[in-house]
Structure formats: C-alpha cells, structure tokens
Amino acid sequence: MEGVVFKRLDGVYQPSVRGWRKYKVRETTEAVVGAVSGPLAAPRSLLLGRYDDRRRLQYTGRTTTLAQTTSSTLAGLLAPARPGHPWTGWSFSAGHTGASRAGGGGRHRRSP
C-alpha cells in the first residue's frame, strides 16, 4: 500500500478543488546491493537483498531506474561478483516482481 487518501468528515467532493489529503506510508529498511541491471560501469538499477536467519542472501526487490549521475557515482563503488555468489545463475525479471532460478552468468555485487 502506498498510502491513504482522506477528507474531512463534513467535507464534500468538489471537482477541481483540492479538499482531499494524502498520507504516504514511508517504511524503510537496510538492504545489500546483491546485483545490478546493466553493465557494472553504468548500472541501470540495483537488485537488493537481505540476509535471512541462516545468513543466506535473499532477493527482496530493486530500485527504480538510476539517474545518470547516481549511476556514475555508484559505478565506482561496485565490484564484480566473487566466485560462489549466492545469486549466480539467477534471472531477474524486468519488472519489480522478483527473481527466479535460471541458467546464465553471474551477477555483480558490492564488496563487503
């Protein structure tokens, strides 16, 4: 849920008048950059994960498309995936829906 839209109890709908208010839900958490979409030198988005109770990196989501300046800044902080990266062989969808096990090469992750 992105948020809630509300109005005063005694308020009525009036076309073209801003009488409604929106309360946006803002929940944050920390995540690990487990991979990127696009080339490591110019990432388009970050694929994020969190460690579960057994210390396995689990995919949790992705960022929106990165602005060019953000991409350039992050490129200097990213490193190629090390052998044994837990997401090697995973395929990430183009949308924000998740990841699945598939054939393919390794992904990139940030060095710890």
Side-chain angles (χ1 to χ4, degrees), residues 45-101:
S45 67
L46 305 178
L47 307 175
L48 307 172
R50 290 182 51 98
Y51 287 101
D52 64 15
D53 293 339
R54 297 193 308 186
R55 300 292 304 151
R56 294 176 304 180
L57 186 60
Q58 299 293 326
Y59 175 80
T60 56
R62 67 184 335 142
T63 66
T64 58
T65 302
L66 301 172
Q68 188 173 1
T69 54
T70 304
S71 175
S72 297
T73 300
L74 288 172
L77 303 173
L78 299 170
R82 295 181 183 152
H85 186 285
W87 293 352
T88 298
W90 283 73
S91 175
F92 294 88
S93 68
H96 294 273
T97 57
S100 61
R101 181 66 88 176

Side-chain angles (χ1 to χ4, degrees), residues 22-47:
K22 185 173 186 178
Y23 174 78
K24 289 188 176 186
V25 175
R26 299 190 194 279
E27 185 175 328
T28 62
T29 188
E30 292 186 7
V32 173
V33 177
V36 302
S37 66
L40 193 58
R44 287 191 293 270
S45 67
L46 305 178
L47 307 175

Side-chain angles (χ1 to χ4, degrees), residues 6-13 19-21:
F6 61 95
K7 66 174 183 66
R8 294 179 50 94
L9 287 174
D10 59 354
V12 295
Y13 174 74
W20 292 71
R21 296 188 181 252

